[in-house]
Amino acid sequence: MLVGTGDIRTWLGIQAEDKKPNAKLETLSQAIQGFVENYCGRKFEAQLYKTDPQYSYIDGFGTSWLYLPQYPVWYINDLRVDADRDWGAGTVIATDDITLYENDGKIVCTDGDYFGKGKRNVRIEYYAGYAAGTHLSHDGTAYINFAVPFDLKQLIIEMVVQSHKEGITGVHTVIGQDETRMMQMLSGKSVWRQTLNLYKNYARIPSYDIL
């Protein structure tokens, strides 16, 4: 969960000494996070993508580079390109032979390899998203960290607080009356929209057909 209930309690004016569990706030925070992720078309909480059918198997476009669907990227464990999708040892692209732009989730092959055209012919295991802590960068020159950005965290807090005040509880379903009310709330908050639009995962791939 990107935002804990402690920050939400502060904004709601709940006394600091009130330590009682509040399952409603926790559920609502998770629901708002899900709504925000759906709106932006990406996952924000860091996790390992290993054999995820949506995010670990990617179309190749005949280029020496590609963008991963989830970012920022902390590290890559395994990268393979295989038109037959057998994923044998001969399909591996060594991680030493790529340049990784962690913040953007961009991979560039540096040893003559490329991501051939194909449907889901690239398989990658990587860790991406926002979390506490640090990790050595791919090129080994520095330690990186991708904590939850302050503006994104603050936006989620404010959305949770406003939703709590308006009695919204079910936005995690992304359907029905609560989702409609959430969109109406968002449409009336230009700062919220502007902030979320900064984190949208807009398409960043070539616009030609795959043969």
Side-chain angles (χ1 to χ4, degrees), residues 76-145:
I76 294 174
N77 285 336
D78 188 75
L79 175 61
R80 303 179 186 230
V81 181
D82 186 2
D84 297 323
R85 304 181 189 87
D86 293 326
W87 315 116
T91 68
V92 174
I93 294 180
T95 55
D96 288 341
D97 294 335
I98 63 172
T99 297
L100 172 63
Y101 297 88
E102 288 96 345
N103 196 58
D104 298 322
K106 183 180 181 180
I107 302 173
V108 179
C109 292
T110 56
D111 196 35
D113 292 310
Y114 69 98
F115 303 103
K117 283 187 178 183
K119 290 287 189 181
R120 300 166 68 82
N121 62 323
V122 179
R123 191 185 78 179
I124 183 165
E125 178 182 326
Y126 62 108
Y127 188 79
Y130 297 117
T134 61
H135 193 274
L136 189 64
S137 63
H138 180 78
D139 61 12
T141 61
Y143 280 91
I144 56 175
N145 76 85

Side-chain angles (χ1 to χ4, degrees), residues 33-176:
Q33 179 177 326
F35 176 87
V36 166
E37 289 177 337
N38 282 325
Y39 181 89
C40 293
R42 54 186 285 208
K43 301 291 186 181
F44 289 116
E45 194 165 359
Q47 60 183 292
L48 179 66
Y49 297 94
K50 188 172 183 179
T51 56
D52 188 291
Q54 187 173 1
Y55 302 124
S56 297
Y57 297 89
I58 306 170
D59 295 344
F61 287 87
T63 61
S64 61
W65 55 268
L66 59 74
Y67 282 98
L68 297 177
Q70 300 300 333
Y71 57 96
V73 177
W74 292 72
Y75 57 83
I76 294 174
N77 285 336
D78 188 75
L79 175 61
R80 303 179 186 230
V81 181
D82 186 2
D84 297 323
R85 304 181 189 87
D86 293 326
W87 315 116
T91 68
V92 174
I93 294 180
T95 55
D96 288 341
D97 294 335
I98 63 172
T99 297
L100 172 63
Y101 297 88
E102 288 96 345
N103 196 58
D104 298 322
K106 183 180 181 180
I107 302 173
V108 179
C109 292
T110 56
D111 196 35
D113 292 310
Y114 69 98
F115 303 103
K117 283 187 178 183
K119 290 287 189 181
R120 300 166 68 82
N121 62 323
V122 179
R123 191 185 78 179
I124 183 165
E125 178 182 326
Y126 62 108
Y127 188 79
Y130 297 117
T134 61
H135 193 274
L136 189 64
S137 63
H138 180 78
D139 61 12
T141 61
Y143 280 91
I144 56 175
N145 76 85
F146 295 112
V148 182
F150 177 79
D151 58 349
L152 180 61
K153 180 178 180 179
Q154 184 62 34
L155 179 143
I156 292 175
I157 292 172
E158 293 179 15
M159 291 180 75
V160 170
V161 169
Q162 188 65 31
S163 298
H164 182 270
K165 291 179 179 178
E166 297 194 14
I168 296 176
T169 60
V171 294
H172 61 290
T173 62
V174 199
I175 58 174

Side-chain angles (χ1 to χ4, degrees), residues 183-194:
M183 288 302 296
Q184 291 173 342
M185 187 191 307
L186 189 61
S187 68
K189 298 280 189 178
S190 60
V191 174
W192 287 3
R193 291 199 315 277
Q194 291 169 6

